[in-house]
């Protein structure tokens, strides 16, 4: 092996741009230099030895001229020097000079300064030569009685390490430390001593714990943590001891240290499945989350709380604590709130649903009274969705939820208001008894809605579900009131003419008073009236809501109004027998639609009406005029049937996902042993919670393994960097762990020469950063060694790591030799995971993301669905389009895909593919549009899709 593999506990980064000093210079500085000079020389010696230099003549110089010095910095450097310096001859015998060093150790262990004593004791933990340690044992024992706790606790650590490595040097160590523990008062010393007894003599540790088990709450947190560790180990090794120590764990749940409470709760859950134990641990977790300020800690503890409900028995216990879980909502962090609401949703029952709804309604009220923040709107969305799910799960509470959610319709946050309408749409479809209440509340909120999108949703619901004559007339009246006086164009022209007359008449005097002189671009003066500049904006604000949106050019709203009025007309005709009233109602509907069409063609709006909106409104006019039964069926029956079919498909998909989650949880493994409680020791205690059972049974079961898939094994991550005929062979195992890439590079010297200063030089391309430069090594003939390099990743995009190996041949006078390495490609797929989002969120992100990459489909695959599945599998993206929408035969397919990176970046893709039906052997054609917030993400994902498409062409060609 290379010299890099010497036993050493300390690594020091040496500067590579400085000139390496020679041994004679270092000796001179160590002999004749002053204190700072000797410090600098000693540092250089340490760096050279770490780099593989032997420096055999330096040892005696250090012993003679440096070791007698009393400078504390020198003494600290000497501890590092004695650690790394070779202490044996090539045949393994201890160097004679080390006798002098051993005497220096003994003097430092008796030094009056407690820091020097403690540092020396810590250093002795690193020594691997028993010949050096044996003369020091009496002095080490005496340090247990030192007045300072720093010396005593390091003495315990030194005795523990020496006993673990060379027990013949101090065979009575457990008894010695046990006696020390009984008389010690310092908590850090007691902790180290107790930890040694746990590993060296558990019986003595248990005996000590039994004597002071009632005083555990008064111990320091570091000692309490070690006690928890001991109880955990003992109770797993001997389940009969659980009853003896379970009360101690219960007491530690009330410790003043959050770390102790967290560990005690985890140990309690592992040791006992009793309802009281689970409830106590869950309460402890909840208290920790509520009182802890660090959001990362909150998320970690919350994950443990979520993991508790995986067991059906524990889930029933946690359901009693559903209201306590909602206390976590006081945390301002959005991610914590999101996980909390998801957990509460899974724990809610008929007993707690009413109380939970009241708490969530209070949380909704709090979001209205706080200053608007970016997370406030998102939290409001989470609350709306939670109340939506609860209402669908427990229909009895829907009547209490709907009024509070209707207040969101006038909210500035369009996403929250849209979520409310999604809930209203599902509630009004499923709960017929609430329809009249929802229609009344929706009509009352229509005038306060501030968003065009929300207006469209609300009008659709009103048109679809207004069923009585009174409700129909109320909806039409509300629409007419929100449009203002009809026809719209003539009314706008009259208002414009009236404003002009007012400006010419009574406004002259005021206009003259408000005039200001302004300088134009060419340097001349111009007059401007404050009255004239403000009047038009004030008049625009006074317009009714729907008219204002139409004048801004939102004629999709006009198409929605026309659709709504047609549905209402058909429904009114079916309810009203009087033909005159039928004709009058239809005439009013046609007046409204024709007025909107006229406005779109007049040129008054800010944006022109699109052809699609015009065609839709003209179609509605024709439908109202003809009024055939087939068209009536389309507008009144089939629309609602499509909605109910969509909601049913959504419910089936959610139910299937829920079943899959439950099915994926393995309750009992096939090769698990069967425990008969009456035949085990301590029949009243459950031993099924032992986490070592599964690993032990798998180790002894000897079950057959099916063929190993090399594509998923570690061998697939090995990259060959050089050729087999190169003088230096190198290959790298690329291990990716979220933000870090660890390159474990194997370097083999294939020559008969000794390679000196063999250096692995690396560089990166992309958003990668090399953390540290690998150290030079010396390779003997046909020797090998492993070098590790760390690379930090900052964002989701493809990157490359490239470089070379540089080395010198011993005895050669030529230039340095270089071996060029193959590039290591960092795949974007290592950072992308499938994720899910709602259709509304997908559309919102699609509008916001500015980087788009369009990829043409180039494949030999002939099935549309097969190509989609292959793409999702190859790119780690999740298909958001429901499965039922993708089934069936057809000549085209459109689907939305979504994924999220570990850095929080979103990736969207829209797949549009087709193939001719008359040619089943034709290949799939089309394109994929990728959108992302960053350019690198969009380009890298496009490159990945092109790469996997080429793989399909090669496989078909083969």
């Amino acid at each position: 092996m290379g010299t890099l593999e010497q036993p050493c506990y300390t690594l020091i980064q040496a500067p590579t741009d400085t000139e390496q000093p020679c041994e004679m210079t270092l000796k001179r500085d160590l002999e004749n230099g002053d204190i700072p000079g000797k410090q600098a020389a000693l540092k250089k010696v340490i760096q050279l030895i770490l780099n593989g230099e032997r420096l055999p003549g330096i040892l005696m110089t250090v012993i003679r001229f440096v070791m007698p010095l009393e400078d504390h910095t020198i003494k600290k450097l000497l501890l590092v020097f004695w650690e790394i310096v070779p202490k044996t001859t090539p045949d393994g015998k201890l160097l004679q000079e080390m006798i002098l060093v051993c005497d220096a150790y003994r003097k430092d262990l008796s030094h009056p300064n407690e820091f020097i004593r403690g540092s020396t004791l810590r250093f002795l933990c690193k020594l691997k030569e028993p010949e050096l340690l044996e003369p020091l044992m009496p002095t080490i024992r005496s340090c247990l009685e030192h007045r300072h706790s720093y010396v005593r606790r390091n003495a315990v650590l030194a005795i523990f390490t020496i006993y673990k490595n060379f027990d013949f040097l101090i065979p009575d160590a457990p008894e010695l430390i046990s006696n020390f523990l009984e008389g010690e008062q310092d908590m850090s010393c007691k902790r180290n001593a107790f930890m040694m007894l746990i590993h060296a003599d558990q019986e003595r540790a248990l005996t000590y714990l039994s004597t002071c088990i009632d005083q555990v709450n008064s111990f320091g947190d570091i000692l309490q943590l070690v006690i928890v560790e001991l109880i955990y180990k003992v109770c797993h090794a001997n389940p009969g001891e659980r009853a003896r120590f379970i009360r101690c764990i219960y007491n530690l749940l009330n410790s003043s240290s959050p770390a102790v409470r967290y560990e005690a709760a985890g140990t309690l859950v592992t040791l006992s499945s009793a309802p009281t134990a689970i409830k106590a641990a869950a309460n402890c977790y909840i208290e920790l989350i509520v009182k802890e300020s660090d959001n990362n800690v909150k998320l970690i503890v919350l994950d443990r709380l979520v993991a508790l409900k995986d067991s059906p028995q524990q889930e029933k216990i946690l359901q009693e604590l559903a209201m306590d879980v909602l206390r976590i909502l006081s945390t301002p962090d959005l991610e914590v709130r999101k996980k909390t609401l998801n957990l509460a949703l899974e724990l809610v029952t008929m007993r707690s649903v009413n109380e939970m709804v009241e708490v969530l309604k209070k949380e909704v009220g709090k979001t209205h009274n706080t200053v608007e923040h970016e997370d406030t709107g998102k939290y409001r969305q989470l609350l709306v969705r939670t109340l939506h799910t609860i209402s669908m799960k427990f229909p009895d509470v829907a009547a209490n939820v709907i009024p509070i959610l209707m207040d969101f319709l006038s909210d500035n946050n369009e996403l929250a208001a849209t979520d409310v309408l999604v809930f209203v749409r599902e509630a009004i479809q499923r709960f017929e008894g609430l329809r009249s209440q929802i229609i009344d509340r929706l009509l009352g909120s229509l005038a306060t809605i501030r968003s065009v999108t929300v207006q469209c949703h609300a009008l659709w619901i009103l048109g679809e579900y207004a069923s009585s004559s009174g409700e129909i007339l109320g909806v039409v009246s509300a629409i007419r009131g929100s449009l203002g006086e009809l026809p719209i164009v003539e009314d706008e022209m009259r208002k414009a003419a009236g404003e002009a007359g007012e400006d010419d008449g009574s406004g002259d005097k005021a206009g003259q008073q408000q005039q200001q002189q302004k300088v134009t671009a060419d340097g001349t003066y111009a007059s401007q009236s404050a009255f004239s500049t403000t009047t038009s904006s004030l008049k625009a604000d006074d317009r009714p809501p729907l008219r204002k949106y139409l004048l801004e050019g939102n004629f999709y709203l006009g198409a929605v109004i026309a659709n709504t009025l047609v549905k209402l007309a058909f429904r009114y005709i079916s309810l009203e027998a009087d033909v005159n009233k039928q004709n009058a109602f239809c005439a009013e509907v046609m007046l409204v639609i024709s007025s909107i069409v006229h406005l779109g063609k007049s040129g008054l709006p800010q944006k022109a009406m699109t052809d699609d909106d015009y065609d839709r409104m003209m179609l509605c006019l024709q439908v109202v005029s003809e009024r055939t039964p087939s068209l009536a069926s389309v507008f009144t029956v089939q629309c609602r049937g499509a909605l109910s079919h969509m909601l049913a498909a959504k419910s089936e998909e959610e139910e299937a996902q829920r079943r899959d989650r439950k099915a994926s949880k393995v309750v009992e493994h096939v090769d698990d042993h069967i425990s008969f409680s009456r035949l085990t020791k301590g029949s009243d205690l459950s031993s099924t919670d032992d986490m070592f059972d599964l690993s032990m049974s798998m180790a002894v079961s000897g079950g057959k393994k099916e063929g190993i898939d090399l594509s998923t094994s570690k061998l697939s991550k090995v990259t060959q960097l050089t050729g087999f005929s190169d003088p230096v062979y190198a290959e790298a195992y690329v291990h990716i762990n979220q933000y870090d890439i660890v390159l474990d590079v194997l370097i083999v010297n294939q020559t008969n020469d000794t390679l000196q200063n063999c250096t692995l030089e690396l560089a990166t391309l992309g958003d990668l950063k090399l953390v540290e430069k690998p150290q030079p090594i010396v390779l003997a003939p046909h020797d090998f060694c492993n070098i590790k390099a760390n690379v930090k990743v900052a964002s989701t995009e493809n990157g490359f790591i490239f470089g070379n190996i540089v080395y010198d041949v011993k005895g050669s006078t030529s230039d340095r030799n270089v071996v060029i390495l193959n590039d290591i490609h960092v795949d974007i797929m290592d950072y992308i995971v499938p994720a899910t989002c709602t259709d509304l969120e997908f559309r919102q992100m699609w509008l916001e993301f500015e980087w788009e990459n369009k990829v043409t489909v180039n494949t030999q695959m002939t099935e549309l669905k097969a190509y989609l599945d292959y793409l999702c599998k190859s790119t780690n993206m999740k298909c958001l389009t429901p499965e039922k929408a993708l089934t069936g035969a057809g000549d085209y397919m459109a689907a939305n895909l979504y994924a999220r990176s570990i850095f929080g970046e979103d990736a969207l893709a829209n797949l549009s593919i087709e193939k001719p039906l008359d040619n089943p052997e034709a290949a799939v054609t089309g394109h994929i549009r990728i959108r992302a917030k960053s350019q690198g993400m969009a380009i890298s994902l496009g490159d990945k899709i092109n790469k996997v498409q080429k793989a399909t062409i090669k496989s078909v060609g083969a």
Side-chain angles (χ1 to χ4, degrees), residues 557-567 589 593 596 616-617 620:
L557 176 63
V560 173
I561 294 172
N563 227 39
T564 301
L565 292 174
V566 171
K567 291 179 182 179
V589 167
I593 299 174
I596 296 173
R616 185 68 177 177
M617 285 186 277
C620 289

Side-chain angles (χ1 to χ4, degrees), residues 351-409:
R351 294 173 57 188
S352 60
V353 63
N354 290 316
E355 196 175 352
M356 183 175 290
V357 166
E358 291 301 319
V359 173
L360 294 177
K361 284 165 70 175
K362 289 180 182 177
E363 288 293 320
V364 168
K366 290 178 185 177
T367 61
H368 281 296
N369 303 327
T370 56
V371 180
E372 193 67 28
H373 187 263
E374 181 185 359
D375 286 344
T376 306
K378 294 180 180 178
Y379 181 45
R380 209 172 292 160
Q381 272 185 274
L382 289 175
L383 290 171
V384 170
R385 292 177 185 175
T386 305
L387 287 169
H388 176 184
T389 308
I390 290 176
S391 300
M392 295 301 110
K393 198 173 180 181
F394 304 98
D396 295 341
V397 302
N400 296 328
V401 171
I402 288 171
I404 190 72
L405 291 186
M406 283 294 188
D407 296 337
F408 280 110
L409 294 179

Side-chain angles (χ1 to χ4, degrees), residues 421-440:
L421 284 174
V422 170
F423 161 64
V424 169
R425 183 186 67 186
E426 190 167 353
I428 204 171
Q429 169 68 17
R430 293 190 176 180
F431 312 133
E432 293 187 14
L434 299 176
R435 285 183 182 175
S436 59
Q437 177 189 350
I438 294 175
I439 293 293
D440 292 341

Side-chain angles (χ1 to χ4, degrees), residues 420-648:
V420 171
L421 284 174
V422 170
F423 161 64
V424 169
R425 183 186 67 186
E426 190 167 353
I428 204 171
Q429 169 68 17
R430 293 190 176 180
F431 312 133
E432 293 187 14
L434 299 176
R435 285 183 182 175
S436 59
Q437 177 189 350
I438 294 175
I439 293 293
D440 292 341
R441 291 301 300 258
L442 205 53
L443 279 173
S445 305
L446 199 60
T448 61
I449 296 175
R450 305 177 186 179
S451 166
V452 180
T453 306
V454 179
Q455 282 276 14
C456 293
H457 285 73
L459 287 171
W460 189 92
I461 293 173
L462 288 171
E464 189 64 47
Y465 293 99
S467 53
S468 66
S469 298
E471 290 174 351
I472 292 171
L473 293 173
V475 174
V476 174
S477 175
I479 291 174
R480 286 209 57 169
S482 193
L483 283 172
E485 190 176 343
L486 298 178
I488 300 174
V489 175
E490 283 76 1
D491 187 51
E492 286 294 318
M493 297 296 288
R494 277 197 305 273
K495 286 182 179 179
E499 289 172 14
E502 290 175 5
D503 291 345
D504 294 339
S506 61
D508 286 346
K509 188 174 181 181
Q512 291 170 3
Q513 292 175 355
Q514 298 291 336
Q515 283 182 348
Q516 298 177 357
Q517 282 193 329
K518 294 180 72 69
V519 180
T520 60
D522 58 357
T524 59
Y525 288 97
S527 297
Q528 182 182 25
S529 171
F531 177 78
S532 64
T533 56
T534 57
T535 302
S536 59
S537 62
L538 288 172
K539 294 292 183 183
D541 292 338
D542 291 340
R543 292 191 180 101
L546 292 182
R547 178 179 291 197
K548 185 173 73 171
Y549 297 142
L550 290 172
L551 286 170
E552 290 172 356
N554 295 305
F555 280 96
Y556 177 72
L557 176 63
V560 173
I561 294 172
N563 227 39
T564 301
L565 292 174
V566 171
K567 291 179 182 179
L568 295 175
F570 280 122
R571 206 161 283 123
Y572 184 81
I573 291 170
S574 66
L575 295 171
E576 181 60 56
D578 190 346
V579 177
N580 292 329
K581 288 184 178 180
Q582 291 179 7
N583 291 335
F585 188 89
C586 291
E588 186 176 7
V589 167
M590 295 176 76
L591 173 63
V592 173
I593 299 174
S594 59
S595 179
I596 296 173
V597 174
H598 187 200
L599 176 64
K601 294 295 184 180
S602 66
L604 288 176
Q606 298 175 9
K607 299 177 185 175
M609 180 172 55
T610 63
D611 292 338
D612 289 341
D613 296 333
Y614 174 75
D615 291 343
R616 185 68 177 177
M617 285 186 277
M618 292 305 294
L619 175 64
C620 289
L621 277 175
Q622 186 177 356
V623 168
V624 175
S625 64
E626 294 178 0
R627 283 178 267 171
T628 61
S630 60
L631 291 173
S633 173
V634 170
F635 277 89
T636 58
V637 178
Q638 295 182 23
C639 284
R640 192 174 300 183
L643 172 63
S644 61
H645 181 69
M646 184 193 77
L647 294 177

